[in-house]
Amino acid sequence: MSEAGGALGCGSPVPQRAPWNLVAAATALYLVSATSVWTAGATPMNREEKQKLGNQVLEMFDHAYGNYMEHAYPADELMPLTCRGRVRGQEPSRGDVDDALGKFSLTLIDSLDTLVVLNKTKEFEDAVRKVLRDVNLDNDVVVSVFETNIRVLGGLLGGHSLAIMLKEKGEYMQWYKDELLQMAKQLGYKLLPAFNTTSGLPYPRINLKFGIRKPEARTGTETDTCTACAGTLILEFAALSRFTGATIFEEYARKALDFLWEKRQRSSNLVGVTINIHTGDWVRKDSGVGAGIDSYYEYLLKAYVLLGDDSFLERFNTHYDAIMRYISQPPLLLDVHIHKPMLNARTWMDALLAFFPGLQVLKGDIRPAIETHEMLYQVIKKHNFLPEAFTTDFRVHWAQHPLRPEFAESTYFLYKATGDPYYLEVGKTLIENLNKYARVPCGFAAMKDVRTGSHEDRMDSFFLAEMFKYLYLLFADKEDIIFDIEDYIFTTEAHLLPLWLSTTNQRVSKKNTTSEYTELDDSNFDWTCPNTQILFPNDPLYAQSIREPLKNVVDKSCPRGIIRVREESFRSGAKPPLRARDFMATNPEHLEILKKMGVSLIHLKDGRVQLVQHAIQAASSIDAEDGLRFMQEMIELSSQQQKEQQLPPRAVQIVSHPFFGRVVLTAGPAQFGLDLSKHKETRGFVASSKPYNGCSELTNPEAVMGKIALIQRGQCMFAEKARNIQNAGAIGGIVIDDNEGSSSDTAPLFQMAGDGKDTDDIKIPMLFLFSKEGSIILDAIREYEEVEVLLSDKAKDRDPEMENEEQPSSENDSQNQSAEQIISISQAVDLVDQEAPEESSLSSHSDSSPADTDNAASISPAEQTLNPMENQEPTSLDGECTDLDNQPQEQSETEEDSNPNVSWGKKVQPIDSILADWNEDIEAFEMMEKDEL
């Protein structure tokens, strides 16, 4: 996601050039002053330090881009752990994530305008020549319409925009004759068949060569798409129409937006996550600002900025009012049900919502932007990166982090709006964390697990398209950039489109007369230009005063107190709803509350208790909603406690030259041997055992004596292998999968079990690596002979003395923190909900957001049962704040039990099957209260 670099000036709906420091319009869009207003609580950063950090960003980009060009090009993306390109069909499928890959040198196209922003004009000219010479857009491959639009079409248009700018300056690109634009037009026509639906919403995927529905196309049977997928087309398609004069592209994108607007839920003015492209029915009826919807809202506001059509602003304002009424629960942004917006749809947030504070800056609503951004920053300081999803009490829900740029984007725009040097320090932290934890010899690797610090062999194209662009602009002064960034608007992929397109090849747009806009609270839109005094009262500590209460929100405060209780309850003085973690089965008051919520407590003969909810027995629909929420929380609490008893993933970190701890591999633990979470890590050189399967007495004990033995899976029990290498004098063991090509990227981790006998005699640590991760160590042995690794429960700090010999000087400053400091930052251990799917990583921006289990089913009233729950002492459901640092870690991926009952402390029913049923009660509420359309 991204914001407008340029924006409208006061009262000028279609400017040819507009200064970014005035975000306003005749319809009273909020204003943001970009003058240097900074809080006295932050120390200004001098020009020299900003230049130093800017140069560090340039060096980091060179490291990522250079390794892509050297090891991966012309492949779509770089695999930084194995130093090779990712080619569709040649690597194990990652599901929907791979739909961004079309064998069209994705990373190169996505990086084009970044090269110009970073003042690498010669490299840009060379890159354009390579694109024109090598890229083929006619491949027989099925790609995501959404990803291809924002990354490839947007990349070509952004490259064209800056190519013609450089040509006008007279030094570079003098040979250029709109070749990138012609490629963009070719691609645009290839995407148009996707819009061949009765609704005008595009199919989610298309074959670049064969289009839709043809037998050879292998696509066109889909019925659903995400709201963002259909609603994030207007900037690129309109720009393509304005550049070429071919109006068809803008018309198709507008039709899709019009249809989504018509299908909004009229009483809440919210939209769902996924929609049927043929009928227009909402498939997933939860609504938020994260995955699946995010850039739909972004493009409504930016379409107004770029195209000057008032209807887009009116739609955005209507949606924004609903977001702030229902979804915004400062500092949280929680999904709700579109028909019951006071009912939270889930108890966790995804990382993609980090773009929203930046969008609020463009909107001019600074206070909630500061609040949400600060909350996200506190999560980052706890885990070094923003997990793909985290709960309302800031525990890890999905542990991956694919180097997403949304938080850096919001940081940049908050700095532009406030001039507060605090945000420069935030950017400095991002740079340090990327170098410290994500940098590897062949680029930057995504985090497989932010808790352990393990890596994934992945460097997405958006990392180069967005992250380095925002970080460089954060520290750059105006004279550091060779063109005026305020003449352009950023797309959701941070590609640059010139604002002068608003008056070029302009089609006549008719105001949408098919629906009426909701009457809004005028006070929400009454700020006018300029509004510096409103945004920043005569108090230099204004922004700091907003951030200060949130400084300890992650670690020290009771997070549940943050969650909104419905406004009517506050006004009437009623008590907040009963939370599952506060519930005591022996408390008469709690039992009375359960009865009011329609929840019955049944004592079983074996001493356990059973919770059953009948929505129709609740005192009111509000109490029934509270009951649903209570049952959901009880299921999740049960799931978490059950999983706390499981072993978490471990880390194998290569610490010898030239890796110096930069490569961290995700490893499975063993149910026997030394427990790395309770004892100091094991460090040593590795050696292959003979026989390699380790199933008999080793014939090379001298080779493994005092080392960590490498053994192959298969032919005998894991415990037998461990005993054989231990008897040979090994200090640890790594079992490498014998299934060639297996990887933790595509397969769930598991624990190595014992042999059914007493395994107390095994004293050494044992870890398991899939074939792909194991081959990284084996390849290192072949190349460097002596390879030293660290076996631990989580990645440790790099070796600064050895690494400084290799690192460029601009990076040294971010590498020289002590191990004690690093461990203290990453010490937090969190829980991943059992409902997380095996492939739980969100695709780039919105396209493959995981299905939300809360909305997996429809529809007839049914009773909800939480089956047998042990009768616990009150302390087992303690409502006090828990010290997360002392919580045990959990396994990232576990097998779900097939038992249909949920037993407290015993077997847990798969949470998705239970949560799916709750949608039935939600639908029942809708029918009872008749608030459907």
Side-chain angles (χ1 to χ4, degrees), residues 60 384-385 429-439 444 447 455 653 660-662 664 796-798 803 811-818 821-822 825:
M60 293 165 66
N384 302 318
F385 297 99
T429 299
L430 298 182
I431 291 173
E432 291 174 348
N433 288 350
L434 284 171
N435 277 319
K436 194 180 301 293
Y437 303 112
R439 187 173 182 134
F444 291 85
M447 307 307 295
H455 289 135
Q653 189 171 12
F660 302 123
R662 298 194 199 106
V664 184
K796 307 302 178 185
D797 190 19
R798 281 47 169 168
E803 190 171 8
E811 189 187 339
N812 288 343
D813 294 338
S814 65
Q815 300 290 338
N816 288 331
Q817 295 189 17
S818 68
Q821 290 173 312
I822 301 307
I825 292 175

Side-chain angles (χ1 to χ4, degrees), residues 340 477 568 589 593 621 634 747 768 822:
K340 282 288 181 179
D477 290 327
E568 307 89 74
E589 184 181 357
I593 295 174
S621 61
M634 187 63 76
F768 176 86
I822 301 307

Side-chain angles (χ1 to χ4, degrees), residues 284 286 337 345-346 348 397-398 632 636 833-837 850-858 896 910-919:
R284 279 182 53 190
D286 48 319
H337 295 279
R346 60 190 188 190
W348 48 271
H397 187 72
W398 296 328
Q632 178 181 358
E636 293 177 351
D833 233 308
Q834 190 167 352
E835 67 186 84
D852 190 356
T853 55
D854 292 13
N855 294 275
S858 56
E896 294 183 343
I911 193 168
D912 54 350
S913 65
I914 296 177
L915 298 184
D917 292 337
W918 292 341
N919 195 49

Side-chain angles (χ1 to χ4, degrees), residues 508-560:
V508 177
S509 60
K510 297 181 179 179
K511 186 176 179 65
N512 186 350
T513 58
T514 60
S515 63
E516 296 181 0
Y517 292 97
T518 304
E519 186 70 26
L520 302 176
D521 179 4
D522 290 340
S523 66
N524 195 28
F525 308 101
D526 62 3
W527 291 357
T528 55
C529 172
N531 64 343
T532 305
Q533 293 303 312
I534 297 177
L535 288 179
F536 305 103
N538 295 322
D539 179 5
L541 295 176
Y542 175 72
Q544 184 187 4
S545 68
I546 298 175
R547 292 192 298 263
E548 195 62 33
L550 303 172
K551 289 295 184 184
N552 299 318
V553 69
V554 172
D555 289 318
K556 297 182 180 179
S557 64
C558 234
R560 67 178 182 278

